Amino acid sequence: MSVFNIHNNQSYATEHATFINSRMHSTRIHKIIDQMISFCRDIGLWHGEDRPTLSHLRLKSFCCIYYLLFPISFVIGSITSETVDDGIFLAETAIISTVLDIKIWMLLWNQKQIMGLLNRICVFTIRNDEDFAFFNVKVEKFIKFAIVFACATIAGVLGCIVFPFVGNEKSLILDIAFPLDWRNSEIGFWMAYIFFVTGLVLTLPAMAFSVLIWYLLLHCSLRYNVLGSEISNMGRATGNVKLLEKERQAIFKRNIVALIDAHLHLRRLIDELESFLSKLFLLQFATSGLCICSSIYCLAFDIGDNIVERIIHVYLLFYNIADLFMITYFGNEIMLSSSRLTYSLFKCDWIGQPQWTKKCIIIFVEYLKQSHEILIGKLYPLTLETFTRILNSSYSLFNILKNFKK
């Protein structure tokens, strides 16, 4: 073996000892998310690696068109309702179902883009054992919450399905508009019931898409945390490897260039995710306040004839707040974790570096001073401050309705 090869091998070993640590950890898409994706493919909502077949396209088109009848039925029912309270409840349900219809459309027709975002955001390498453990803890906590959310959703759907058979008279939980007289006709009732149940089943993929959105935003914030840890550990030797000063400086230079590229790559990924979800988030900002207000109104004035209806009101309030809180919370985490990168850069071993490297650090610091804030509609930041503003507007609107009620 030549002296040149020996020197290259030693340099490679010392670089990995100082920056990459003893071993690498590769993340992957969580098995629960993988199971959700596999289920969508098994039932035909998503296709495989090849192009969608004609049957796939027909099923997707049918689901989108069919579920569109759901909010239309609620809107007409709200207009023709006999009481204002029932009209408010049906209007809230129409708004929620409209947002869910858009989520179904996005889930069915953007499979390639969704899978591309999942693979590029959620699959990456973590160099530090502590960072990998931190990452796994955060992801597992999220998965536990997602399972609770899924169980609550399934329980709510089952409650709506069982409701017509609770009591002496058959009646749907919502006074929906239907071409047939389902209140006085047995055939009309069963046709309206089938329409209502199939619409409820179609809401489950939309709920699953909400979980996918939260999962992507979570990984964006975690990747900023991991990047901050790598920046703070830059230039610090691990193990008992002894380095010459020139070797240490050369390794630090390569590391900072690599981390600058990693930071730019992560910003591009988050910008792509923001572009994909911006219109959906803007719609949620515009409608969440109305839906939360309506749910509080229904609970405050006890709009409901039995315990099942009250449980549905509680679930709708939980869903509206949870969906809005999750996207604003993770958006807030992305902003906070990106703002901490400047402090992480100050923690690295930058003292004693040559002038060129210090200039790179100064420029990088100035660039990192601007935290990564996701803007929805170029106006509304995806932060917890926006969440509190929407809740305040919901409370103000509730006071108006309360005064109107009196």
PDB file of all heavy atoms in Angstrom, residues 348-382:
ATOM      1  N   CYS A 348     -19.929  25.905  18.622  1.00  0.00           N
ATOM      2  CA  CYS A 348     -18.962  25.037  17.966  1.00  0.00           C
ATOM      3  C   CYS A 348     -17.535  25.523  18.247  1.00  0.00           C
ATOM      4  O   CYS A 348     -17.320  26.636  18.739  1.00  0.00           O
ATOM      5  CB  CYS A 348     -19.215  24.975  16.462  1.00  0.00           C
ATOM      6  SG  CYS A 348     -18.764  26.476  15.567  1.00  0.00           S
ATOM      7  N   ASP A 349     -16.573  24.698  17.889  1.00  0.00           N
ATOM      8  CA  ASP A 349     -15.162  24.995  18.166  1.00  0.00           C
ATOM      9  C   ASP A 349     -14.594  25.879  17.047  1.00  0.00           C
ATOM     10  O   ASP A 349     -13.776  25.444  16.227  1.00  0.00           O
ATOM     11  CB  ASP A 349     -14.384  23.684  18.279  1.00  0.00           C
ATOM     12  CG  ASP A 349     -12.963  23.899  18.780  1.00  0.00           C
ATOM     13  OD1 ASP A 349     -12.688  24.991  19.315  1.00  0.00           O
ATOM     14  OD2 ASP A 349     -12.138  22.980  18.621  1.00  0.00           O
ATOM     15  N   TRP A 350     -15.050  27.147  17.011  1.00  0.00           N
ATOM     16  CA  TRP A 350     -14.629  28.055  15.932  1.00  0.00           C
ATOM     17  C   TRP A 350     -13.373  28.844  16.294  1.00  0.00           C
ATOM     18  O   TRP A 350     -12.737  29.452  15.427  1.00  0.00           O
ATOM     19  CB  TRP A 350     -15.761  29.032  15.604  1.00  0.00           C
ATOM     20  CG  TRP A 350     -16.210  29.875  16.779  1.00  0.00           C
ATOM     21  CD1 TRP A 350     -17.169  29.553  17.676  1.00  0.00           C
ATOM     22  CD2 TRP A 350     -15.706  31.147  17.168  1.00  0.00           C
ATOM     23  NE1 TRP A 350     -17.322  30.545  18.602  1.00  0.00           N
ATOM     24  CE2 TRP A 350     -16.419  31.553  18.311  1.00  0.00           C
ATOM     25  CE3 TRP A 350     -14.723  31.997  16.664  1.00  0.00           C
ATOM     26  CZ2 TRP A 350     -16.185  32.748  18.958  1.00  0.00           C
ATOM     27  CZ3 TRP A 350     -14.490  33.205  17.297  1.00  0.00           C
ATOM     28  CH2 TRP A 350     -15.210  33.574  18.449  1.00  0.00           C
ATOM     29  N   ILE A 351     -12.981  28.843  17.575  1.00  0.00           N
ATOM     30  CA  ILE A 351     -11.789  29.588  17.997  1.00  0.00           C
ATOM     31  C   ILE A 351     -10.546  28.890  17.437  1.00  0.00           C
ATOM     32  O   ILE A 351     -10.406  27.674  17.491  1.00  0.00           O
ATOM     33  CB  ILE A 351     -11.700  29.671  19.528  1.00  0.00           C
ATOM     34  CG1 ILE A 351     -12.928  30.388  20.086  1.00  0.00           C
ATOM     35  CG2 ILE A 351     -10.421  30.367  19.968  1.00  0.00           C
ATOM     36  CD1 ILE A 351     -12.997  30.424  21.585  1.00  0.00           C
ATOM     37  N   GLY A 352      -9.653  29.661  16.893  1.00  0.00           N
ATOM     38  CA  GLY A 352      -8.419  29.117  16.339  1.00  0.00           C
ATOM     39  C   GLY A 352      -8.516  28.728  14.886  1.00  0.00           C
ATOM     40  O   GLY A 352      -7.539  28.218  14.315  1.00  0.00           O
ATOM     41  N   GLN A 353      -9.691  28.963  14.263  1.00  0.00           N
ATOM     42  CA  GLN A 353      -9.836  28.654  12.850  1.00  0.00           C
ATOM     43  C   GLN A 353      -9.224  29.767  12.000  1.00  0.00           C
ATOM     44  O   GLN A 353      -9.124  30.920  12.448  1.00  0.00           O
ATOM     45  CB  GLN A 353     -11.316  28.475  12.498  1.00  0.00           C
ATOM     46  CG  GLN A 353     -11.996  27.344  13.236  1.00  0.00           C
ATOM     47  CD  GLN A 353     -11.366  25.998  12.951  1.00  0.00           C
ATOM     48  OE1 GLN A 353     -10.918  25.742  11.830  1.00  0.00           O
ATOM     49  NE2 GLN A 353     -11.323  25.150  13.965  1.00  0.00           N
ATOM     50  N   PRO A 354      -8.789  29.465  10.787  1.00  0.00           N
ATOM     51  CA  PRO A 354      -8.202  30.489   9.914  1.00  0.00           C
ATOM     52  C   PRO A 354      -9.206  31.564   9.532  1.00  0.00           C
ATOM     53  O   PRO A 354     -10.423  31.407   9.714  1.00  0.00           O
ATOM     54  CB  PRO A 354      -7.725  29.689   8.701  1.00  0.00           C
ATOM     55  CG  PRO A 354      -8.539  28.435   8.721  1.00  0.00           C
ATOM     56  CD  PRO A 354      -8.788  28.131  10.167  1.00  0.00           C
ATOM     57  N   GLN A 355      -8.711  32.643   8.964  1.00  0.00           N
ATOM     58  CA  GLN A 355      -9.533  33.813   8.658  1.00  0.00           C
ATOM     59  C   GLN A 355     -10.652  33.487   7.673  1.00  0.00           C
ATOM     60  O   GLN A 355     -11.782  33.960   7.816  1.00  0.00           O
ATOM     61  CB  GLN A 355      -8.642  34.933   8.098  1.00  0.00           C
ATOM     62  CG  GLN A 355      -9.291  36.304   8.079  1.00  0.00           C
ATOM     63  CD  GLN A 355      -9.591  36.826   9.483  1.00  0.00           C
ATOM     64  OE1 GLN A 355      -8.949  36.422  10.458  1.00  0.00           O
ATOM     65  NE2 GLN A 355     -10.553  37.714   9.596  1.00  0.00           N
ATOM     66  N   TRP A 356     -10.335  32.662   6.663  1.00  0.00           N
ATOM     67  CA  TRP A 356     -11.361  32.336   5.652  1.00  0.00           C
ATOM     68  C   TRP A 356     -12.536  31.618   6.307  1.00  0.00           C
ATOM     69  O   TRP A 356     -13.692  31.900   6.013  1.00  0.00           O
ATOM     70  CB  TRP A 356     -10.741  31.438   4.581  1.00  0.00           C
ATOM     71  CG  TRP A 356     -11.686  31.126   3.463  1.00  0.00           C
ATOM     72  CD1 TRP A 356     -11.861  31.819   2.311  1.00  0.00           C
ATOM     73  CD2 TRP A 356     -12.636  30.028   3.415  1.00  0.00           C
ATOM     74  NE1 TRP A 356     -12.837  31.233   1.540  1.00  0.00           N
ATOM     75  CE2 TRP A 356     -13.326  30.130   2.193  1.00  0.00           C
ATOM     76  CE3 TRP A 356     -12.931  28.982   4.291  1.00  0.00           C
ATOM     77  CZ2 TRP A 356     -14.294  29.220   1.822  1.00  0.00           C
ATOM     78  CZ3 TRP A 356     -13.918  28.078   3.923  1.00  0.00           C
ATOM     79  CH2 TRP A 356     -14.594  28.195   2.699  1.00  0.00           C
ATOM     80  N   THR A 357     -12.256  30.678   7.208  1.00  0.00           N
ATOM     81  CA  THR A 357     -13.322  29.930   7.883  1.00  0.00           C
ATOM     82  C   THR A 357     -14.149  30.843   8.775  1.00  0.00           C
ATOM     83  O   THR A 357     -15.381  30.717   8.844  1.00  0.00           O
ATOM     84  CB  THR A 357     -12.717  28.785   8.714  1.00  0.00           C
ATOM     85  OG1 THR A 357     -11.889  27.979   7.880  1.00  0.00           O
ATOM     86  CG2 THR A 357     -13.808  27.921   9.314  1.00  0.00           C
ATOM     87  N   LYS A 358     -13.488  31.790   9.466  1.00  0.00           N
ATOM     88  CA  LYS A 358     -14.220  32.718  10.329  1.00  0.00           C
ATOM     89  C   LYS A 358     -15.153  33.602   9.511  1.00  0.00           C
ATOM     90  O   LYS A 358     -16.256  33.936   9.961  1.00  0.00           O
ATOM     91  CB  LYS A 358     -13.239  33.570  11.123  1.00  0.00           C
ATOM     92  CG  LYS A 358     -12.500  32.802  12.219  1.00  0.00           C
ATOM     93  CD  LYS A 358     -11.589  33.704  13.021  1.00  0.00           C
ATOM     94  CE  LYS A 358     -10.892  32.923  14.136  1.00  0.00           C
ATOM     95  NZ  LYS A 358      -9.981  33.780  14.932  1.00  0.00           N
ATOM     96  N   LYS A 359     -14.718  33.980   8.307  1.00  0.00           N
ATOM     97  CA  LYS A 359     -15.600  34.771   7.443  1.00  0.00           C
ATOM     98  C   LYS A 359     -16.840  33.956   7.061  1.00  0.00           C
ATOM     99  O   LYS A 359     -17.961  34.486   7.037  1.00  0.00           O
ATOM    100  CB  LYS A 359     -14.839  35.206   6.190  1.00  0.00           C
ATOM    101  CG  LYS A 359     -13.806  36.290   6.434  1.00  0.00           C
ATOM    102  CD  LYS A 359     -13.140  36.700   5.132  1.00  0.00           C
ATOM    103  CE  LYS A 359     -12.101  37.809   5.372  1.00  0.00           C
ATOM    104  NZ  LYS A 359     -11.419  38.201   4.105  1.00  0.00           N
ATOM    105  N   CYS A 360     -16.644  32.684   6.761  1.00  0.00           N
ATOM    106  CA  CYS A 360     -17.793  31.811   6.452  1.00  0.00           C
ATOM    107  C   CYS A 360     -18.745  31.724   7.637  1.00  0.00           C
ATOM    108  O   CYS A 360     -19.972  31.752   7.473  1.00  0.00           O
ATOM    109  CB  CYS A 360     -17.302  30.419   6.071  1.00  0.00           C
ATOM    110  SG  CYS A 360     -16.510  30.316   4.455  1.00  0.00           S
ATOM    111  N   ILE A 361     -18.175  31.621   8.842  1.00  0.00           N
ATOM    112  CA  ILE A 361     -19.003  31.527  10.047  1.00  0.00           C
ATOM    113  C   ILE A 361     -19.806  32.807  10.241  1.00  0.00           C
ATOM    114  O   ILE A 361     -21.000  32.769  10.571  1.00  0.00           O
ATOM    115  CB  ILE A 361     -18.112  31.237  11.272  1.00  0.00           C
ATOM    116  CG1 ILE A 361     -17.504  29.848  11.175  1.00  0.00           C
ATOM    117  CG2 ILE A 361     -18.916  31.364  12.565  1.00  0.00           C
ATOM    118  CD1 ILE A 361     -16.520  29.521  12.272  1.00  0.00           C
ATOM    119  N   ILE A 362     -19.168  33.964  10.027  1.00  0.00           N
ATOM    120  CA  ILE A 362     -19.864  35.250  10.199  1.00  0.00           C
ATOM    121  C   ILE A 362     -21.018  35.370   9.207  1.00  0.00           C
ATOM    122  O   ILE A 362     -22.132  35.781   9.557  1.00  0.00           O
ATOM    123  CB  ILE A 362     -18.871  36.411  10.034  1.00  0.00           C
ATOM    124  CG1 ILE A 362     -17.865  36.417  11.196  1.00  0.00           C
ATOM    125  CG2 ILE A 362     -19.609  37.747   9.973  1.00  0.00           C
ATOM    126  CD1 ILE A 362     -16.744  37.413  11.034  1.00  0.00           C
ATOM    127  N   ILE A 363     -20.756  35.001   7.956  1.00  0.00           N
ATOM    128  CA  ILE A 363     -21.811  35.063   6.933  1.00  0.00           C
ATOM    129  C   ILE A 363     -22.937  34.088   7.271  1.00  0.00           C
ATOM    130  O   ILE A 363     -24.132  34.417   7.153  1.00  0.00           O
ATOM    131  CB  ILE A 363     -21.215  34.757   5.544  1.00  0.00           C
ATOM    132  CG1 ILE A 363     -20.213  35.845   5.151  1.00  0.00           C
ATOM    133  CG2 ILE A 363     -22.325  34.659   4.501  1.00  0.00           C
ATOM    134  CD1 ILE A 363     -19.449  35.540   3.891  1.00  0.00           C
ATOM    135  N   PHE A 364     -22.568  32.893   7.722  1.00  0.00           N
ATOM    136  CA  PHE A 364     -23.566  31.884   8.092  1.00  0.00           C
ATOM    137  C   PHE A 364     -24.408  32.354   9.273  1.00  0.00           C
ATOM    138  O   PHE A 364     -25.630  32.137   9.311  1.00  0.00           O
ATOM    139  CB  PHE A 364     -22.857  30.575   8.414  1.00  0.00           C
ATOM    140  CG  PHE A 364     -23.754  29.375   8.429  1.00  0.00           C
ATOM    141  CD1 PHE A 364     -24.960  29.367   7.733  1.00  0.00           C
ATOM    142  CD2 PHE A 364     -23.407  28.224   9.143  1.00  0.00           C
ATOM    143  CE1 PHE A 364     -25.788  28.255   7.742  1.00  0.00           C
ATOM    144  CE2 PHE A 364     -24.233  27.121   9.167  1.00  0.00           C
ATOM    145  CZ  PHE A 364     -25.424  27.133   8.465  1.00  0.00           C
ATOM    146  N   VAL A 365     -23.784  33.006  10.240  1.00  0.00           N
ATOM    147  CA  VAL A 365     -24.506  33.539  11.399  1.00  0.00           C
ATOM    148  C   VAL A 365     -25.536  34.567  10.965  1.00  0.00           C
ATOM    149  O   VAL A 365     -26.691  34.564  11.427  1.00  0.00           O
ATOM    150  CB  VAL A 365     -23.527  34.138  12.421  1.00  0.00           C
ATOM    151  CG1 VAL A 365     -24.276  34.994  13.442  1.00  0.00           C
ATOM    152  CG2 VAL A 365     -22.764  33.046  13.151  1.00  0.00           C
ATOM    153  N   GLU A 366     -25.132  35.479  10.084  1.00  0.00           N
ATOM    154  CA  GLU A 366     -26.063  36.504   9.607  1.00  0.00           C
ATOM    155  C   GLU A 366     -27.246  35.877   8.877  1.00  0.00           C
ATOM    156  O   GLU A 366     -28.381  36.339   8.988  1.00  0.00           O
ATOM    157  CB  GLU A 366     -25.329  37.475   8.681  1.00  0.00           C
ATOM    158  CG  GLU A 366     -24.304  38.350   9.381  1.00  0.00           C
ATOM    159  CD  GLU A 366     -24.937  39.259  10.418  1.00  0.00           C
ATOM    160  OE1 GLU A 366     -26.056  39.754  10.171  1.00  0.00           O
ATOM    161  OE2 GLU A 366     -24.329  39.463  11.493  1.00  0.00           O
ATOM    162  N   TYR A 367     -26.973  34.796   8.147  1.00  0.00           N
ATOM    163  CA  TYR A 367     -28.052  34.117   7.428  1.00  0.00           C
ATOM    164  C   TYR A 367     -28.995  33.402   8.393  1.00  0.00           C
ATOM    165  O   TYR A 367     -30.212  33.365   8.177  1.00  0.00           O
ATOM    166  CB  TYR A 367     -27.446  33.125   6.437  1.00  0.00           C
ATOM    167  CG  TYR A 367     -28.452  32.412   5.583  1.00  0.00           C
ATOM    168  CD1 TYR A 367     -29.145  33.077   4.577  1.00  0.00           C
ATOM    169  CD2 TYR A 367     -28.729  31.056   5.778  1.00  0.00           C
ATOM    170  CE1 TYR A 367     -30.074  32.424   3.790  1.00  0.00           C
ATOM    171  CE2 TYR A 367     -29.655  30.399   5.003  1.00  0.00           C
ATOM    172  CZ  TYR A 367     -30.328  31.089   4.004  1.00  0.00           C
ATOM    173  OH  TYR A 367     -31.255  30.438   3.234  1.00  0.00           O
ATOM    174  N   LEU A 368     -28.437  32.833   9.460  1.00  0.00           N
ATOM    175  CA  LEU A 368     -29.251  32.081  10.419  1.00  0.00           C
ATOM    176  C   LEU A 368     -30.065  32.967  11.348  1.00  0.00           C
ATOM    177  O   LEU A 368     -30.954  32.479  12.040  1.00  0.00           O
ATOM    178  CB  LEU A 368     -28.348  31.162  11.261  1.00  0.00           C
ATOM    179  CG  LEU A 368     -27.666  30.011  10.538  1.00  0.00           C
ATOM    180  CD1 LEU A 368     -26.768  29.242  11.496  1.00  0.00           C
ATOM    181  CD2 LEU A 368     -28.679  29.073   9.911  1.00  0.00           C
ATOM    182  N   LYS A 369     -29.735  34.256  11.399  1.00  0.00           N
ATOM    183  CA  LYS A 369     -30.482  35.160  12.275  1.00  0.00           C
ATOM    184  C   LYS A 369     -31.954  35.245  11.896  1.00  0.00           C
ATOM    185  O   LYS A 369     -32.808  35.514  12.734  1.00  0.00           O
ATOM    186  CB  LYS A 369     -29.856  36.552  12.246  1.00  0.00           C
ATOM    187  CG  LYS A 369     -28.571  36.678  13.059  1.00  0.00           C
ATOM    188  CD  LYS A 369     -28.041  38.091  13.027  1.00  0.00           C
ATOM    189  CE  LYS A 369     -26.774  38.225  13.871  1.00  0.00           C
ATOM    190  NZ  LYS A 369     -26.225  39.608  13.826  1.00  0.00           N
ATOM    191  N   GLN A 370     -32.242  35.019  10.628  1.00  0.00           N
ATOM    192  CA  GLN A 370     -33.635  35.038  10.171  1.00  0.00           C
ATOM    193  C   GLN A 370     -34.213  33.631  10.327  1.00  0.00           C
ATOM    194  O   GLN A 370     -33.863  32.711   9.589  1.00  0.00           O
ATOM    195  CB  GLN A 370     -33.719  35.483   8.710  1.00  0.00           C
ATOM    196  CG  GLN A 370     -35.148  35.625   8.203  1.00  0.00           C
ATOM    197  CD  GLN A 370     -35.198  36.116   6.769  1.00  0.00           C
ATOM    198  OE1 GLN A 370     -34.153  36.293   6.141  1.00  0.00           O
ATOM    199  NE2 GLN A 370     -36.386  36.333   6.260  1.00  0.00           N
ATOM    200  N   SER A 371     -35.084  33.455  11.309  1.00  0.00           N
ATOM    201  CA  SER A 371     -35.671  32.132  11.561  1.00  0.00           C
ATOM    202  C   SER A 371     -36.596  31.746  10.407  1.00  0.00           C
ATOM    203  O   SER A 371     -37.104  32.598   9.672  1.00  0.00           O
ATOM    204  CB  SER A 371     -36.451  32.143  12.878  1.00  0.00           C
ATOM    205  OG  SER A 371     -37.498  33.097  12.833  1.00  0.00           O
ATOM    206  N   HIS A 372     -36.806  30.456  10.270  1.00  0.00           N
ATOM    207  CA  HIS A 372     -37.645  29.937   9.181  1.00  0.00           C
ATOM    208  C   HIS A 372     -39.101  29.938   9.630  1.00  0.00           C
ATOM    209  O   HIS A 372     -39.550  29.050  10.350  1.00  0.00           O
ATOM    210  CB  HIS A 372     -37.196  28.519   8.813  1.00  0.00           C
ATOM    211  CG  HIS A 372     -37.749  28.064   7.502  1.00  0.00           C
ATOM    212  ND1 HIS A 372     -37.288  26.946   6.849  1.00  0.00           N
ATOM    213  CD2 HIS A 372     -38.711  28.573   6.708  1.00  0.00           C
ATOM    214  CE1 HIS A 372     -37.951  26.784   5.729  1.00  0.00           C
ATOM    215  NE2 HIS A 372     -38.838  27.758   5.627  1.00  0.00           N
ATOM    216  N   GLU A 373     -39.822  30.938   9.225  1.00  0.00           N
ATOM    217  CA  GLU A 373     -41.235  31.084   9.596  1.00  0.00           C
ATOM    218  C   GLU A 373     -42.095  30.778   8.380  1.00  0.00           C
ATOM    219  O   GLU A 373     -41.953  31.407   7.334  1.00  0.00           O
ATOM    220  CB  GLU A 373     -41.501  32.504  10.096  1.00  0.00           C
ATOM    221  CG  GLU A 373     -42.885  32.709  10.669  1.00  0.00           C
ATOM    222  CD  GLU A 373     -43.063  34.117  11.211  1.00  0.00           C
ATOM    223  OE1 GLU A 373     -43.030  35.066  10.412  1.00  0.00           O
ATOM    224  OE2 GLU A 373     -43.214  34.264  12.432  1.00  0.00           O
ATOM    225  N   ILE A 374     -42.978  29.807   8.529  1.00  0.00           N
ATOM    226  CA  ILE A 374     -43.881  29.440   7.437  1.00  0.00           C
ATOM    227  C   ILE A 374     -45.032  30.433   7.390  1.00  0.00           C
ATOM    228  O   ILE A 374     -45.756  30.612   8.368  1.00  0.00           O
ATOM    229  CB  ILE A 374     -44.412  28.006   7.632  1.00  0.00           C
ATOM    230  CG1 ILE A 374     -43.249  27.008   7.610  1.00  0.00           C
ATOM    231  CG2 ILE A 374     -45.421  27.659   6.556  1.00  0.00           C
ATOM    232  CD1 ILE A 374     -43.673  25.570   7.853  1.00  0.00           C
ATOM    233  N   LEU A 375     -45.196  31.076   6.248  1.00  0.00           N
ATOM    234  CA  LEU A 375     -46.261  32.060   6.061  1.00  0.00           C
ATOM    235  C   LEU A 375     -47.360  31.461   5.207  1.00  0.00           C
ATOM    236  O   LEU A 375     -47.093  30.919   4.120  1.00  0.00           O
ATOM    237  CB  LEU A 375     -45.718  33.335   5.408  1.00  0.00           C
ATOM    238  CG  LEU A 375     -44.847  34.239   6.281  1.00  0.00           C
ATOM    239  CD1 LEU A 375     -44.337  35.423   5.469  1.00  0.00           C
ATOM    240  CD2 LEU A 375     -45.626  34.733   7.487  1.00  0.00           C
ATOM    241  N   ILE A 376     -48.585  31.569   5.672  1.00  0.00           N
ATOM    242  CA  ILE A 376     -49.736  31.054   4.943  1.00  0.00           C
ATOM    243  C   ILE A 376     -50.418  32.228   4.239  1.00  0.00           C
ATOM    244  O   ILE A 376     -50.827  33.186   4.892  1.00  0.00           O
ATOM    245  CB  ILE A 376     -50.720  30.350   5.891  1.00  0.00           C
ATOM    246  CG1 ILE A 376     -49.995  29.261   6.688  1.00  0.00           C
ATOM    247  CG2 ILE A 376     -51.878  29.769   5.106  1.00  0.00           C
ATOM    248  CD1 ILE A 376     -49.288  28.230   5.843  1.00  0.00           C
ATOM    249  N   GLY A 377     -50.524  32.106   2.931  1.00  0.00           N
ATOM    250  CA  GLY A 377     -51.085  33.212   2.159  1.00  0.00           C
ATOM    251  C   GLY A 377     -50.228  34.453   2.215  1.00  0.00           C
ATOM    252  O   GLY A 377     -50.735  35.556   1.994  1.00  0.00           O
ATOM    253  N   LYS A 378     -48.957  34.299   2.535  1.00  0.00           N
ATOM    254  CA  LYS A 378     -47.985  35.398   2.651  1.00  0.00           C
ATOM    255  C   LYS A 378     -48.402  36.430   3.699  1.00  0.00           C
ATOM    256  O   LYS A 378     -47.893  37.547   3.707  1.00  0.00           O
ATOM    257  CB  LYS A 378     -47.782  36.084   1.292  1.00  0.00           C
ATOM    258  CG  LYS A 378     -47.215  35.161   0.224  1.00  0.00           C
ATOM    259  CD  LYS A 378     -46.995  35.905  -1.083  1.00  0.00           C
ATOM    260  CE  LYS A 378     -46.420  34.970  -2.141  1.00  0.00           C
ATOM    261  NZ  LYS A 378     -46.183  35.659  -3.437  1.00  0.00           N
ATOM    262  N   LEU A 379     -49.317  36.044   4.577  1.00  0.00           N
ATOM    263  CA  LEU A 379     -49.819  36.979   5.592  1.00  0.00           C
ATOM    264  C   LEU A 379     -49.806  36.378   6.998  1.00  0.00           C
ATOM    265  O   LEU A 379     -49.409  37.052   7.960  1.00  0.00           O
ATOM    266  CB  LEU A 379     -51.253  37.414   5.248  1.00  0.00           C
ATOM    267  CG  LEU A 379     -51.442  38.290   4.012  1.00  0.00           C
ATOM    268  CD1 LEU A 379     -52.927  38.483   3.740  1.00  0.00           C
ATOM    269  CD2 LEU A 379     -50.769  39.638   4.205  1.00  0.00           C
ATOM    270  N   TYR A 380     -50.243  35.128   7.120  1.00  0.00           N
ATOM    271  CA  TYR A 380     -50.466  34.541   8.438  1.00  0.00           C
ATOM    272  C   TYR A 380     -49.354  33.542   8.764  1.00  0.00           C
ATOM    273  O   TYR A 380     -49.205  32.535   8.067  1.00  0.00           O
ATOM    274  CB  TYR A 380     -51.827  33.843   8.483  1.00  0.00           C
ATOM    275  CG  TYR A 380     -52.967  34.730   8.059  1.00  0.00           C
ATOM    276  CD1 TYR A 380     -53.542  34.603   6.796  1.00  0.00           C
ATOM    277  CD2 TYR A 380     -53.454  35.716   8.916  1.00  0.00           C
ATOM    278  CE1 TYR A 380     -54.590  35.426   6.402  1.00  0.00           C
ATOM    279  CE2 TYR A 380     -54.498  36.534   8.534  1.00  0.00           C
ATOM    280  CZ  TYR A 380     -55.058  36.389   7.274  1.00  0.00           C
ATOM    281  OH  TYR A 380     -56.087  37.207   6.879  1.00  0.00           O
ATOM    282  N   PRO A 381     -48.588  33.784   9.816  1.00  0.00           N
ATOM    283  CA  PRO A 381     -47.532  32.828  10.198  1.00  0.00           C
ATOM    284  C   PRO A 381     -48.123  31.576  10.817  1.00  0.00           C
ATOM    285  O   PRO A 381     -49.129  31.635  11.544  1.00  0.00           O
ATOM    286  CB  PRO A 381     -46.700  33.617  11.213  1.00  0.00           C
ATOM    287  CG  PRO A 381     -47.649  34.626  11.787  1.00  0.00           C
ATOM    288  CD  PRO A 381     -48.602  34.975  10.685  1.00  0.00           C
ATOM    289  N   LEU A 382     -47.513  30.445  10.539  1.00  0.00           N
ATOM    290  CA  LEU A 382     -47.961  29.173  11.093  1.00  0.00           C
ATOM    291  C   LEU A 382     -47.331  29.009  12.468  1.00  0.00           C
ATOM    292  O   LEU A 382     -46.400  28.232  12.673  1.00  0.00           O
ATOM    293  CB  LEU A 382     -47.551  28.025  10.164  1.00  0.00           C
ATOM    294  CG  LEU A 382     -48.235  26.671  10.407  1.00  0.00           C
ATOM    295  CD1 LEU A 382     -49.720  26.774  10.108  1.00  0.00           C
ATOM    296  CD2 LEU A 382     -47.602  25.591   9.553  1.00  0.00           C
TER     297      LEU A 382
END
